[in-house]
Amino acid sequence: MSATVYSNIEPIPNDILFATKQRYVKDTNPHKVDLGVGAYRGGDGKPWILPSVRAAEKLVHEDPDYEHEYLNIRGHGPLLAEAPKIMLGDDSDALREDRVLTVQSISGAGALHIAAQFIKKFSPEKKIYISDPTWPIHRQIFMNVGLDVAYYTYWNPATKAIDFEGMKQDIAGAPKGSIFILHACAHNPTGIDPTEAQWEEIIEEIKLGDHIPFFDSAYQGFASGDLAQDAYSIRRSVEKLASSTPIFISQSFSKNVGMYGERVGCLHIVLPRQDADVSAIKESIASQLAFIIRSEVSTPPGYGAKIVGKILNTPELKEKWLKDMVTMSSRIKSMRLALRNFLVEFQTPGNWDHIVDQCGMFSFTGLTPEMTKVLETDYSVYMVPTGRMSVAGLNEGNVEHVARGIHDVICKSLQ
């Protein structure tokens, strides 16, 4: 019996992103282009360590008190003190009223997972709504803990824009008290965000449905270069829903600080104003989150948290970091424009304005799985089958090649 107990386990297909990356690595074409995995690249096509990060690392290493002891279960103190201010703003009423609790997580995915475990334990009846489409791991995280997951309308492939009326209808039609996973900015994979006016209507529908918003913020400051602009949806929700509902926020520093492999993030829960002792409620919830963290990872990782904490707590480094985000977001915007302009110059069939209308790291190009396969086979241009392109992989040396490949596969598909 023991010899066969695991013999009938069904295999799970490889993760699409990393499978695409593996094929890219094996390709010997010197002109190959990686537009799959979402990680920023500089103009030379290589990973870019932010100047603010290099400076912070130097300070951390030179600190005579630097060591590798375990962190507190809830995380690195300097990070926990400043991360919510980055997300909510220094003048946040929720912070001033001490209604925000924060724990460190293994980047954004870890924050989502901690929250999923918390929700499963204390409100397992709640339905989780994720956008159609969304980051694939959203579904995996919530389903793997046993929560009921459904989709809400988001993308209209015909218009390459948000199906805003469909989205509002789905929020209005969801069971009272459902949880909606909302992308704070730079929606993954579409790159299309609601306008500020549309966010006002979305927040109102959330309030009317007594729903709980759960913001996944993976790109704050990275999308537009401005922290406040990229946090508009969150800050406005915290303001408008102050007396209505708790708000969950997953915060990642992978993109905006380039801490990809160091896995630095935070989970924030903003509690509503209420008659009960908020401080006691806050401490009870924080203790439950700490229990989840302790039982799963013991304590969060320290190195990346110390780097980010140093940046956020050192004025000159923070100022340098703000400039770094402008550098990254500006280069991505310039590549969007260059790609669109080449496609127009080549007279590629279709309208390609959606590439520049989108924002952030990704573009939902509209290419079909068949087209992406030909693009990979004939041009060594790698993106996932959905047609989602990591714009950060474009640079002045490859953008024309990519545009030519897209042009050709589009023309061939029409023959």
Side-chain angles (χ1 to χ4, degrees):
M1 183 66 178
S2 297
T4 61
V5 66
Y6 297 126
S7 300
N8 297 319
I9 293 176
E10 293 290 330
I12 294 177
N14 289 336
D15 182 274
I16 291 176
L17 284 174
F18 287 93
T20 303
K21 180 69 174 183
Q22 289 172 0
R23 295 195 304 274
Y24 168 82
V25 170
K26 293 178 181 178
D27 193 333
T28 58
N29 186 342
H31 302 295
K32 64 183 179 180
V33 183
D34 181 8
L35 303 178
V37 176
Y40 182 78
R41 298 290 182 259
D44 58 0
K46 297 178 180 179
W48 190 60
I49 299 177
L50 279 62
S52 56
V53 169
R54 289 194 183 277
E57 285 182 310
K58 187 173 186 294
L59 290 180
V60 167
H61 292 160
E62 291 176 348
D63 186 342
D65 295 324
Y66 176 63
E67 32 70 16
H68 296 285
E69 290 294 302
Y70 291 120
L71 295 183
N72 183 287
I73 296 173
R74 297 184 189 180
H76 182 52
L79 174 68
L80 300 182
E82 294 300 315
K85 298 177 186 176
I86 295 296
M87 184 57 62
L88 302 177
D90 290 328
D91 59 348
S92 168
D93 286 343
L95 288 174
R96 180 174 51 80
E97 296 164 5
D98 200 26
R99 292 187 286 110
V100 183
L101 64 93
T102 299
V103 295
Q104 187 181 327
S105 61
I106 300 178
S107 201
L112 290 163
H113 175 73
I114 294 168
Q117 292 283 33
F118 178 84
I119 293 165
K120 175 64 177 177
K121 186 174 183 179
F122 294 103
S123 51
E125 77 288 350
K126 290 191 178 297
K127 200 163 190 173
I128 309 293
Y129 281 85
I130 58 179
S131 67
D132 183 15
T134 193
W135 185 39
I137 296 178
H138 278 157
R139 182 175 178 84
Q140 296 172 17
I141 286 173
F142 292 101
M143 285 191 67
N144 278 351
V145 301
L147 291 167
D148 186 10
V149 179
Y151 286 98
Y152 63 85
T153 300
Y154 193 83
W155 174 253
N156 184 333
T159 61
K160 296 184 177 64
I162 295 174
D163 182 348
F164 184 58
E165 291 305 316
M167 181 181 181
K168 286 200 302 178
Q169 289 173 12
D170 286 350
I171 295 173
K176 288 280 186 181
S178 296
I179 297 176
F180 278 80
I181 309 301
L182 303 166
H183 299 230
C185 67
H187 183 275
N188 180 4
T190 69
I192 290 289
D193 294 336
T195 64
E196 291 187 359
Q198 289 174 329
W199 273 121
E200 294 292 328
E201 295 188 48
I202 291 167
I203 296 167
E204 186 61 28
E205 290 293 349
I206 292 286
K207 185 175 183 179
L208 290 172
D210 198 25
H211 300 315
I212 297 175
F214 190 150
F215 287 96
D216 187 357
S217 179
Y219 306 99
Q220 186 193 8
F222 184 91
S224 71
D226 182 85
L227 291 172
Q229 181 176 330
D230 289 348
Y232 176 85
S233 59
I234 294 176
R235 296 182 184 185
R236 190 67 176 131
S237 295
V238 169
E239 180 182 346
K240 291 189 70 174
L241 304 176
S243 301
S244 303
T245 179
I247 297 173
F248 290 82
I249 305 166
S250 163
Q251 180 181 30
S252 170
F253 292 101
S254 290
K255 278 29 176 219
N256 59 12
V257 190
M259 289 279 107
Y260 301 101
E262 303 302 339
R263 316 305 294 142
V264 186
C266 290
L267 170 67
H268 310 283
I269 301 179
V270 183
L271 299 174
R273 297 189 184 106
Q274 51 199 294
D275 295 332
D277 183 356
V278 175
S279 62
I281 296 172
K282 177 180 170 182
E283 182 55 34
S284 295
I285 295 174
S287 70
Q288 291 289 344
L289 297 178
F291 179 82
I292 293 170
I293 294 167
R294 181 64 171 164
S295 65
E296 295 195 342
V297 299
S298 186
T299 63
Y303 183 71
K306 292 174 182 178
I307 299 301
V308 177
K310 182 65 71 175
I311 291 172
L312 300 186
N313 285 275
T314 309
E316 58 268 28
L317 288 184
K318 185 175 178 182
E319 187 63 30
K320 186 186 291 287
W321 173 53
L322 297 176
K323 293 178 181 177
D324 291 341
M325 285 188 287
V326 173
T327 296
M328 292 187 289
S329 61
S330 297
R331 200 191 76 76
I332 289 177
K333 289 175 185 176
S334 70
M335 287 300 101
R336 288 184 178 277
L337 185 62
L339 178 60
R340 193 279 306 271
N341 288 349
F342 273 121
L343 292 171
V344 171
E345 178 184 330
F346 297 157
Q347 298 184 351
T348 306
N351 186 314
W352 297 94
D353 287 342
H354 61 280
I355 291 176
V356 293
D357 292 338
Q358 297 162 352
C359 72
M361 180 169 284
F362 301 113
S363 171
F364 222 40
T365 60
L367 299 180
T368 66
E370 294 76 19
M371 291 174 183
T372 62
K373 186 175 182 179
V374 175
L375 200 59
E376 179 178 317
T377 302
D378 294 356
Y379 296 90
S380 291
V381 173
Y382 290 79
M383 67 176 73
V384 292
T386 60
R388 188 201 76 167
M389 171 197 298
S390 177
V391 184
L394 295 174
N395 57 60
E396 291 182 358
N398 65 26
V399 64
E400 183 174 359
H401 170 70
V402 172
R404 178 63 68 184
I406 293 174
H407 172 81
D408 289 349
V409 298
I410 293 289
C411 291
K412 288 177 182 177
S413 71
L414 298 174
Q415 292 177 355

